[in-house]
CSV table of all heavy atoms in Angstrom, one decimal:
chain,number,residue,atom,x,y,z
A,40,LYS,N,-13.0,13.5,14.6
A,40,LYS,CA,-12.8,14.9,15.1
A,40,LYS,C,-14.1,15.3,15.8
A,40,LYS,O,-15.2,15.4,15.3
A,40,LYS,CB,-12.6,16.0,13.9
A,40,LYS,CG,-12.5,17.4,14.3
A,40,LYS,CD,-11.3,17.7,15.2
A,40,LYS,CE,-11.3,19.1,15.7
A,40,LYS,NZ,-10.3,19.2,16.8
A,42,PHE,N,-15.8,18.5,18.0
A,42,PHE,CA,-15.7,19.9,18.5
A,42,PHE,C,-16.6,19.9,19.8
A,42,PHE,O,-17.9,20.1,19.7
A,42,PHE,CB,-16.4,20.8,17.4
A,42,PHE,CG,-15.5,20.9,16.1
A,42,PHE,CD1,-16.0,20.3,15.1
A,42,PHE,CD2,-14.4,21.6,16.1
A,42,PHE,CE1,-15.2,20.4,13.8
A,42,PHE,CE2,-13.6,21.7,15.0
A,42,PHE,CZ,-14.1,21.0,13.8
A,76,LYS,N,-9.6,19.9,6.1
A,76,LYS,CA,-8.8,20.7,7.0
A,76,LYS,C,-7.9,19.9,8.0
A,76,LYS,O,-6.8,20.3,8.4
A,76,LYS,CB,-9.8,21.6,7.9
A,76,LYS,CG,-10.4,22.8,7.1
A,76,LYS,CD,-11.0,23.7,8.2
A,76,LYS,CE,-11.4,25.0,7.6
A,76,LYS,NZ,-12.1,25.9,8.5
A,79,MET,N,-4.8,19.0,6.1
A,79,MET,CA,-4.0,20.1,5.8
A,79,MET,C,-3.5,20.8,7.1
A,79,MET,O,-2.7,21.7,7.0
A,79,MET,CB,-4.8,21.3,5.1
A,79,MET,CG,-5.1,21.0,3.6
A,79,MET,SD,-3.8,20.3,2.7
A,79,MET,CE,-2.7,21.7,2.7
A,80,GLY,N,-3.8,20.3,8.2
A,80,GLY,CA,-3.3,20.7,9.4
A,80,GLY,C,-3.9,21.9,10.0
A,80,GLY,O,-3.5,22.5,10.9
A,81,LEU,N,-5.0,22.4,9.5
A,81,LEU,CA,-5.8,23.6,10.1
A,81,LEU,C,-6.5,23.0,11.4
A,81,LEU,O,-6.7,23.8,12.3
A,81,LEU,CB,-6.8,24.1,9.1
A,81,LEU,CG,-6.1,24.8,7.9
A,81,LEU,CD1,-7.1,25.0,6.8
A,81,LEU,CD2,-5.4,26.1,8.4
A,82,LEU,N,-6.9,21.8,11.4
A,82,LEU,CA,-7.5,21.3,12.6
A,82,LEU,C,-6.7,20.1,13.1
A,82,LEU,O,-6.0,19.5,12.3
A,82,LEU,CB,-8.9,20.8,12.2
A,82,LEU,CG,-10.0,21.8,11.7
A,82,LEU,CD1,-11.2,21.0,11.3
A,82,LEU,CD2,-10.3,22.7,12.7
A,83,HIS,N,-6.9,19.8,14.5
A,83,HIS,CA,-6.1,18.8,15.1
A,83,HIS,C,-7.1,17.6,15.3
A,83,HIS,O,-8.1,17.8,15.7
A,83,HIS,CB,-5.5,19.1,16.2
A,83,HIS,CG,-4.5,20.2,16.0
A,83,HIS,ND1,-4.8,21.6,16.1
A,83,HIS,CD2,-3.1,20.2,15.8
A,83,HIS,CE1,-3.7,22.3,15.8
A,83,HIS,NE2,-2.7,21.5,15.6
A,101,ARG,N,9.4,20.0,5.4
A,101,ARG,CA,9.0,21.3,4.6
A,101,ARG,C,9.0,20.9,3.0
A,101,ARG,O,8.0,21.2,2.5
A,101,ARG,CB,9.9,22.4,4.8
A,101,ARG,CG,9.2,23.8,4.5
A,101,ARG,CD,10.2,24.8,4.1
A,101,ARG,NE,11.3,25.0,5.1
A,101,ARG,CZ,11.1,25.7,6.2
A,101,ARG,NH1,10.1,26.4,6.4
A,101,ARG,NH2,12.1,25.8,7.2
A,104,TRP,N,5.7,19.1,2.3
A,104,TRP,CA,4.7,20.0,2.3
A,104,TRP,C,4.5,20.7,1.0
A,104,TRP,O,3.5,21.1,0.5
A,104,TRP,CB,4.5,20.9,3.5
A,104,TRP,CG,3.9,20.2,4.7
A,104,TRP,CD1,4.4,19.9,5.9
A,104,TRP,CD2,2.5,19.8,4.7
A,104,TRP,NE1,3.5,19.3,6.7
A,104,TRP,CE2,2.3,19.1,6.0
A,104,TRP,CE3,1.5,19.8,3.8
A,104,TRP,CZ2,1.1,18.6,6.4
A,104,TRP,CZ3,0.2,19.4,4.2
A,104,TRP,CH2,0.1,18.8,5.5
A,105,ARG,N,5.7,21.0,0.4
A,105,ARG,CA,5.8,21.7,-0.8
A,105,ARG,C,5.1,21.0,-2.0
A,105,ARG,O,4.8,21.6,-3.0
A,105,ARG,CB,7.2,22.2,-1.1
A,105,ARG,CG,7.7,23.2,-0.2
A,105,ARG,CD,9.2,23.5,-0.5
A,105,ARG,NE,9.7,24.6,0.2
A,105,ARG,CZ,10.9,24.8,0.7
A,105,ARG,NH1,11.7,23.9,0.3
A,105,ARG,NH2,11.2,25.9,1.3
A,109,TYR,N,-3.3,23.2,-2.2
A,109,TYR,CA,-4.6,23.3,-1.6
A,109,TYR,C,-5.3,24.5,-2.0
A,109,TYR,O,-4.8,25.6,-2.1
A,109,TYR,CB,-4.3,23.3,0.0
A,109,TYR,CG,-5.5,23.6,0.8
A,109,TYR,CD1,-6.6,22.8,1.0
A,109,TYR,CD2,-5.4,24.8,1.5
A,109,TYR,CE1,-7.6,23.1,1.8
A,109,TYR,CE2,-6.5,25.1,2.4
A,109,TYR,CZ,-7.5,24.3,2.5
A,109,TYR,OH,-8.5,24.6,3.4
A,113,GLU,N,-14.1,28.8,-0.6
A,113,GLU,CA,-14.0,30.3,-0.7
A,113,GLU,C,-12.5,30.8,-0.4
A,113,GLU,O,-12.2,31.1,0.7
A,113,GLU,CB,-14.8,30.9,0.4
A,113,GLU,CG,-16.1,31.1,0.2
A,113,GLU,CD,-16.8,32.3,1.0
A,113,GLU,OE1,-17.4,31.9,2.1
A,113,GLU,OE2,-16.7,33.5,0.7
A,115,ILE,N,-10.0,32.8,0.2
A,115,ILE,CA,-9.8,34.3,0.5
A,115,ILE,C,-8.2,34.6,0.5
A,115,ILE,O,-7.5,33.8,1.1
A,115,ILE,CB,-10.3,34.5,1.9
A,115,ILE,CG1,-11.7,34.0,2.1
A,115,ILE,CG2,-10.2,36.1,2.2
A,115,ILE,CD1,-12.8,34.8,1.5
A,116,LEU,N,-7.9,35.4,-0.3
A,116,LEU,CA,-6.6,35.8,-0.3
A,116,LEU,C,-6.2,37.2,0.2
A,116,LEU,O,-7.2,37.9,0.5
A,116,LEU,CB,-6.1,35.7,-1.9
A,116,LEU,CG,-6.5,34.4,-2.5
A,116,LEU,CD1,-6.4,34.4,-4.0
A,116,LEU,CD2,-5.6,33.3,-2.0
A,117,TYR,N,-5.1,37.6,0.2
A,117,TYR,CA,-4.8,38.9,0.9
A,117,TYR,C,-5.3,40.1,-0.1
A,117,TYR,O,-4.6,40.3,-1.0
A,117,TYR,CB,-3.3,39.0,1.2
A,117,TYR,CG,-2.9,38.1,2.3
A,117,TYR,CD1,-2.0,37.0,1.9
A,117,TYR,CD2,-3.3,38.2,3.6
A,117,TYR,CE1,-1.6,36.3,3.0
A,117,TYR,CE2,-2.9,37.3,4.5
A,117,TYR,CZ,-2.0,36.3,4.3
A,117,TYR,OH,-1.6,35.6,5.3
A,119,PHE,N,-5.3,43.1,0.2
A,119,PHE,CA,-4.4,44.3,0.0
A,119,PHE,C,-3.3,44.2,-0.9
A,119,PHE,O,-2.7,45.3,-1.4
A,119,PHE,CB,-3.9,44.8,1.4
A,119,PHE,CG,-2.8,43.9,1.9
A,119,PHE,CD1,-1.5,44.0,1.7
A,119,PHE,CD2,-3.1,42.8,2.7
A,119,PHE,CE1,-0.5,43.2,2.2
A,119,PHE,CE2,-2.2,41.9,3.2
A,119,PHE,CZ,-0.8,42.1,3.0
A,120,MET,N,-3.2,43.1,-1.3
A,120,MET,CA,-2.0,42.8,-2.3
A,120,MET,C,-2.5,42.9,-3.7
A,120,MET,O,-3.7,42.7,-4.0
A,120,MET,CB,-1.4,41.4,-2.2
A,120,MET,CG,-0.6,41.2,-1.0
A,120,MET,SD,0.2,39.5,-1.1
A,120,MET,CE,1.0,39.4,0.4
A,124,LYS,N,1.8,40.7,-6.6
A,124,LYS,CA,2.4,40.6,-5.2
A,124,LYS,C,2.2,39.4,-4.6
A,124,LYS,O,2.9,38.7,-3.9
A,124,LYS,CB,1.9,41.8,-4.4
A,124,LYS,CG,3.1,42.9,-4.2
A,124,LYS,CD,2.8,43.6,-3.0
A,124,LYS,CE,4.0,43.7,-2.0
A,124,LYS,NZ,5.2,43.6,-2.2
A,125,LEU,N,1.0,38.9,-4.8
A,125,LEU,CA,0.5,37.5,-4.1
A,125,LEU,C,1.3,36.5,-4.8
A,125,LEU,O,1.8,35.6,-4.0
A,125,LEU,CB,-1.1,37.4,-4.2
A,125,LEU,CG,-1.5,36.1,-3.5
A,125,LEU,CD1,-1.2,36.2,-2.1
A,125,LEU,CD2,-2.9,35.9,-4.0
A,128,PHE,N,4.7,36.6,-3.4
A,128,PHE,CA,4.7,36.1,-2.0
A,128,PHE,C,4.7,34.6,-2.0
A,128,PHE,O,5.4,34.0,-1.3
A,128,PHE,CB,3.5,36.8,-1.2
A,128,PHE,CG,3.4,36.2,0.2
A,128,PHE,CD1,4.3,36.5,1.2
A,128,PHE,CD2,2.2,35.5,0.6
A,128,PHE,CE1,4.2,36.0,2.4
A,128,PHE,CE2,2.1,35.1,1.8
A,128,PHE,CZ,3.0,35.2,2.8
A,129,ASN,N,3.6,34.0,-2.8
A,129,ASN,CA,3.6,32.6,-2.7
A,129,ASN,C,4.6,31.8,-3.3
A,129,ASN,O,5.1,30.8,-2.8
A,129,ASN,CB,2.3,32.3,-3.5
A,129,ASN,CG,1.7,31.0,-3.3
A,129,ASN,OD1,1.2,30.7,-2.0
A,129,ASN,ND2,1.7,30.1,-4.1
A,131,ASN,N,7.7,32.4,-3.2
A,131,ASN,CA,8.9,32.3,-2.4
A,131,ASN,C,8.8,31.1,-1.4
A,131,ASN,O,9.9,30.7,-0.8
A,131,ASN,CB,9.1,33.5,-1.5
A,131,ASN,CG,9.7,34.6,-2.1
A,131,ASN,OD1,10.7,34.4,-2.9
A,131,ASN,ND2,9.3,35.8,-2.1
A,132,PHE,N,7.7,30.5,-1.3
A,132,PHE,CA,7.5,29.1,-0.5
A,132,PHE,C,8.1,28.0,-1.2
A,132,PHE,O,8.2,26.9,-0.7
A,132,PHE,CB,6.2,29.0,0.1
A,132,PHE,CG,5.8,30.2,1.0
A,132,PHE,CD1,4.8,31.1,0.8
A,132,PHE,CD2,6.4,30.1,2.4
A,132,PHE,CE1,4.5,32.1,1.6
A,132,PHE,CE2,6.0,31.1,3.2
A,132,PHE,CZ,5.1,32.1,2.9
A,133,TYR,N,8.1,28.1,-2.6
A,133,TYR,CA,8.1,26.8,-3.5
A,133,TYR,C,9.3,27.0,-4.4
A,133,TYR,O,9.1,27.6,-5.5
A,133,TYR,CB,6.8,26.6,-4.1
A,133,TYR,CG,5.6,26.5,-3.3
A,133,TYR,CD1,4.7,27.6,-3.1
A,133,TYR,CD2,5.4,25.3,-2.5
A,133,TYR,CE1,3.6,27.4,-2.4
A,133,TYR,CE2,4.3,25.2,-1.7
A,133,TYR,CZ,3.4,26.4,-1.4
A,133,TYR,OH,2.2,26.2,-0.6
V,31,ALA,N,11.5,31.4,4.0
V,31,ALA,CA,10.0,31.6,4.3
V,31,ALA,C,9.7,32.5,5.3
V,31,ALA,O,8.8,33.4,5.1
V,31,ALA,CB,9.4,30.2,4.6
V,34,ASN,N,10.1,36.0,4.1
V,34,ASN,CA,9.0,36.3,3.2
V,34,ASN,C,7.7,36.7,4.0
V,34,ASN,O,7.1,37.8,3.6
V,34,ASN,CB,8.7,35.1,2.5
V,34,ASN,CG,7.8,35.3,1.2
V,34,ASN,OD1,7.8,36.3,0.7
V,34,ASN,ND2,7.1,34.2,0.9
V,35,ILE,N,7.4,36.0,5.0
V,35,ILE,CA,6.3,36.4,5.8
V,35,ILE,C,6.6,37.7,6.5
V,35,ILE,O,5.5,38.5,6.7
V,35,ILE,CB,6.1,35.3,6.9
V,35,ILE,CG1,5.6,34.0,6.2
V,35,ILE,CG2,4.9,35.7,7.8
V,35,ILE,CD1,5.6,32.8,7.1
V,38,LYS,N,5.6,40.5,4.2
V,38,LYS,CA,4.3,40.6,4.0
V,38,LYS,C,3.6,41.2,5.2
V,38,LYS,O,2.7,42.1,5.1
V,38,LYS,CB,3.7,39.1,3.7
V,38,LYS,CG,2.2,39.0,3.7
V,38,LYS,CD,1.8,38.4,5.1
V,38,LYS,CE,0.4,38.1,5.3
V,38,LYS,NZ,-0.1,38.1,6.6
V,41,HIS,N,4.3,44.9,5.2
V,41,HIS,CA,3.5,45.5,4.1
V,41,HIS,C,2.1,45.5,4.5
V,41,HIS,O,1.4,46.6,4.4
V,41,HIS,CB,3.7,44.7,2.9
V,41,HIS,CG,3.0,45.3,1.7
V,41,HIS,ND1,2.1,44.7,0.8
V,41,HIS,CD2,2.9,46.7,1.3
V,41,HIS,CE1,1.7,45.6,0.0
V,41,HIS,NE2,2.1,46.6,0.2
V,42,GLN,N,1.6,44.5,5.2
V,42,GLN,CA,0.1,44.6,5.5
V,42,GLN,C,-0.1,45.6,6.6
V,42,GLN,O,-1.1,46.2,6.8
V,42,GLN,CB,-0.1,43.1,6.1
V,42,GLN,CG,-1.8,43.0,6.2
V,42,GLN,CD,-2.1,41.6,6.4
V,42,GLN,OE1,-1.2,40.7,6.6
V,42,GLN,NE2,-3.3,41.2,6.3
V,44,ARG,N,1.5,48.5,7.0
V,44,ARG,CA,2.2,49.6,6.6
V,44,ARG,C,1.5,51.0,7.1
V,44,ARG,O,2.2,51.9,7.5
V,44,ARG,CB,2.4,49.7,5.2
V,44,ARG,CG,1.0,49.8,4.3
V,44,ARG,CD,1.3,49.4,2.8
V,44,ARG,NE,0.0,49.5,2.1
V,44,ARG,CZ,-1.0,48.7,2.2
V,44,ARG,NH1,-0.8,47.6,3.0
V,44,ARG,NH2,-2.1,48.8,1.5
V,131,GLU,N,-6.4,38.2,11.1
V,131,GLU,CA,-6.3,37.2,10.0
V,131,GLU,C,-7.4,36.1,10.1
V,131,GLU,O,-7.8,35.8,9.0
V,131,GLU,CB,-4.8,36.7,10.2
V,131,GLU,CG,-4.5,35.9,9.0
V,131,GLU,CD,-3.1,36.1,8.2
V,131,GLU,OE1,-2.4,36.9,8.8
V,131,GLU,OE2,-3.1,35.7,7.1
V,134,ARG,N,-10.6,37.9,8.9
V,134,ARG,CA,-10.5,38.1,7.4
V,134,ARG,C,-10.6,36.9,6.5
V,134,ARG,O,-10.4,36.8,5.4
V,134,ARG,CB,-9.3,39.0,7.0
V,134,ARG,CG,-9.6,40.5,6.9
V,134,ARG,CD,-8.5,41.3,6.7
V,134,ARG,NE,-7.7,41.6,7.8
V,134,ARG,CZ,-6.4,41.2,8.0
V,134,ARG,NH1,-5.8,40.5,7.1
V,134,ARG,NH2,-5.8,41.5,9.0
V,135,ARG,N,-10.4,35.6,7.3
V,135,ARG,CA,-10.4,34.4,6.7
V,135,ARG,C,-9.1,34.1,5.9
V,135,ARG,O,-9.1,33.1,5.1
V,135,ARG,CB,-11.6,34.1,5.9
V,135,ARG,CG,-12.9,34.6,6.4
V,135,ARG,CD,-13.8,33.5,7.0
V,135,ARG,NE,-14.4,32.8,6.0
V,135,ARG,CZ,-15.5,33.2,5.4
V,135,ARG,NH1,-16.0,34.4,5.7
V,135,ARG,NH2,-16.0,32.5,4.3
V,136,THR,N,-8.0,34.8,6.1
V,136,THR,CA,-6.8,34.5,5.3
V,136,THR,C,-6.0,33.6,6.1
V,136,THR,O,-5.0,33.1,5.6
V,136,THR,CB,-6.1,35.9,5.0
V,136,THR,OG1,-5.9,36.4,6.3
V,136,THR,CG2,-6.8,36.7,4.1
V,139,TYR,N,-5.1,30.1,4.3
V,139,TYR,CA,-4.1,30.3,3.4
V,139,TYR,C,-2.8,30.3,4.1
V,139,TYR,O,-1.8,29.6,3.7
V,139,TYR,CB,-4.3,31.6,2.5
V,139,TYR,CG,-3.2,31.8,1.5
V,139,TYR,CD1,-2.9,31.1,0.4
V,139,TYR,CD2,-2.2,32.8,1.9
V,139,TYR,CE1,-1.8,31.4,-0.5
V,139,TYR,CE2,-1.2,33.1,1.0
V,139,TYR,CZ,-1.0,32.4,-0.1
V,139,TYR,OH,0.1,32.6,-0.9
V,140,TYR,N,-2.6,31.1,5.0
V,140,TYR,CA,-1.4,31.3,5.7
V,140,TYR,C,-1.0,30.1,6.4
V,140,TYR,O,0.2,29.8,6.2
V,140,TYR,CB,-1.6,32.4,6.9
V,140,TYR,CG,-0.4,32.8,7.7
V,140,TYR,CD1,0.5,33.7,7.2
V,140,TYR,CD2,-0.3,32.3,9.0
V,140,TYR,CE1,1.7,34.0,7.9
V,140,TYR,CE2,0.9,32.7,9.6
V,140,TYR,CZ,1.8,33.4,9.2
V,140,TYR,OH,3.1,33.8,9.9
V,141,LEU,N,-1.8,29.3,7.1
V,141,LEU,CA,-1.3,28.1,7.8
V,141,LEU,C,-1.1,27.0,6.8
V,141,LEU,O,-0.5,25.9,7.2
V,141,LEU,CB,-2.3,27.8,8.8
V,141,LEU,CG,-2.4,28.7,10.0
V,141,LEU,CD1,-3.5,28.3,10.9
V,141,LEU,CD2,-1.1,28.7,10.7
V,142,THR,N,-1.5,27.1,5.5
V,142,THR,CA,-1.3,25.9,4.7
V,142,THR,C,-0.1,26.2,3.7
V,142,THR,O,0.1,25.4,2.8
V,142,THR,CB,-2.6,25.6,3.7
V,142,THR,OG1,-3.0,26.9,3.2
V,142,THR,CG2,-3.7,25.0,4.6
V,143,ARG,N,0.7,27.3,4.0
V,143,ARG,CA,1.9,27.3,3.4
V,143,ARG,C,2.8,26.4,4.0
V,143,ARG,O,2.7,25.9,5.1
V,143,ARG,CB,2.5,28.8,3.5
V,143,ARG,CG,1.7,29.9,2.8
V,143,ARG,CD,1.2,29.6,1.5
V,143,ARG,NE,-0.2,29.1,1.4
V,143,ARG,CZ,-0.6,28.4,0.4
V,143,ARG,NH1,0.0,28.4,-0.8
V,143,ARG,NH2,-1.9,27.9,0.4
V,144,PRO,N,4.0,25.9,3.3
V,144,PRO,CA,4.9,25.0,3.8
V,144,PRO,C,5.8,25.5,4.8
V,144,PRO,O,6.9,25.7,4.8
V,144,PRO,CB,5.7,24.4,2.6
V,144,PRO,CG,5.7,25.6,1.7
V,144,PRO,CD,4.3,26.3,1.8
V,145,VAL,N,5.0,25.9,6.0
V,145,VAL,CA,5.7,26.6,7.0
V,145,VAL,C,5.1,26.0,8.3
V,145,VAL,O,3.9,25.8,8.4
V,145,VAL,CB,5.5,28.2,7.0
V,145,VAL,CG1,5.7,28.8,8.3
V,145,VAL,CG2,6.3,28.7,5.9
V,147,ARG,N,3.9,25.6,12.3
V,147,ARG,CA,3.1,26.6,13.1
V,147,ARG,C,4.0,27.4,13.9
V,147,ARG,O,3.8,28.6,14.2
V,147,ARG,CB,2.3,25.7,14.1
V,147,ARG,CG,1.0,25.0,13.5
V,147,ARG,CD,-0.2,26.0,13.5
V,147,ARG,NE,-1.3,25.3,12.9
V,147,ARG,CZ,-2.5,25.3,13.5
V,147,ARG,NH1,-2.7,25.8,14.7
V,147,ARG,NH2,-3.5,24.6,13.0
V,149,GLU,N,7.1,28.4,13.0
V,149,GLU,CA,7.6,29.4,12.2
V,149,GLU,C,6.6,30.5,12.0
V,149,GLU,O,6.9,31.7,11.9
V,149,GLU,CB,8.1,29.0,10.8
V,149,GLU,CG,9.4,28.2,10.9
V,149,GLU,CD,9.7,27.4,9.7
V,149,GLU,OE1,8.8,26.7,9.2
V,149,GLU,OE2,10.9,27.3,9.3
V,284,ALA,N,0.3,26.6,18.2
V,284,ALA,CA,0.4,25.2,17.5
V,284,ALA,C,-0.8,24.3,17.8
V,284,ALA,O,-1.2,23.5,17.0
V,284,ALA,CB,1.6,24.6,18.1
V,285,LYS,N,-1.4,24.6,19.0
V,285,LYS,CA,-2.6,23.7,19.4
V,285,LYS,C,-3.9,24.0,18.8
V,285,LYS,O,-4.9,23.3,18.7
V,285,LYS,CB,-2.5,23.5,20.8
V,285,LYS,CG,-1.5,22.8,21.5
V,285,LYS,CD,-1.6,21.3,21.3
V,285,LYS,CE,-0.3,20.5,21.7
V,285,LYS,NZ,-0.1,19.4,21.2
V,286,LYS,N,-3.9,25.3,18.4
V,286,LYS,CA,-5.3,26.0,18.0
V,286,LYS,C,-5.7,25.3,16.7
V,286,LYS,O,-5.2,25.1,15.7
V,286,LYS,CB,-5.1,27.4,17.9
V,286,LYS,CG,-6.3,28.2,17.5
V,286,LYS,CD,-7.0,28.6,18.8
V,286,LYS,CE,-8.3,29.5,18.5
V,286,LYS,NZ,-9.4,28.9,17.8
V,287,ASP,N,-7.2,25.1,16.8
V,287,ASP,CA,-7.8,24.6,15.6
V,287,ASP,C,-8.3,26.0,14.8
V,287,ASP,O,-8.7,26.9,15.5
V,287,ASP,CB,-9.1,23.8,15.8
V,287,ASP,CG,-8.8,22.5,16.1
V,287,ASP,OD1,-7.7,22.0,15.8
V,287,ASP,OD2,-9.7,21.8,16.7
V,288,PHE,N,-8.0,26.0,13.5
V,288,PHE,CA,-8.5,27.2,12.7
V,288,PHE,C,-9.5,26.8,11.8
V,288,PHE,O,-9.3,25.9,11.1
V,288,PHE,CB,-7.3,27.9,12.1
V,288,PHE,CG,-6.5,28.8,13.2
V,288,PHE,CD1,-5.2,28.1,13.6
V,288,PHE,CD2,-6.8,29.9,13.6
V,288,PHE,CE1,-4.4,28.8,14.6
V,288,PHE,CE2,-6.0,30.5,14.6
V,288,PHE,CZ,-4.9,30.1,15.0
Side-chain angles (χ1 to χ4, degrees):
Chain A
K40 178 63 184 168
F42 291 107
K76 279 190 172 180
M79 292 311 298
L81 290 166
L82 298 173
H83 299 86
R101 201 204 305 278
W104 274 114
R105 285 176 173 147
Y109 168 68
E113 269 207 274
I115 311 285
L116 307 165
Y117 292 116
F119 67 93
M120 292 190 185
K124 253 205 120 33
L125 181 65
F128 174 65
N129 201 61
N131 280 321
F132 292 110
Y133 303 102
Chain V
N34 193 28
I35 296 173
K38 165 260 188 203
H41 184 224
Q42 194 165 13
R44 62 198 181 288
E131 188 129 12
R134 264 178 279 116
R135 316 257 285 283
T136 50
Y139 171 77
Y140 185 73
L141 289 173
T142 50
R143 298 311 92 195
V145 159
R147 287 271 181 128
E149 285 168 318
K285 293 279 170 204
K286 180 92 173 66
D287 279 344
F288 286 101

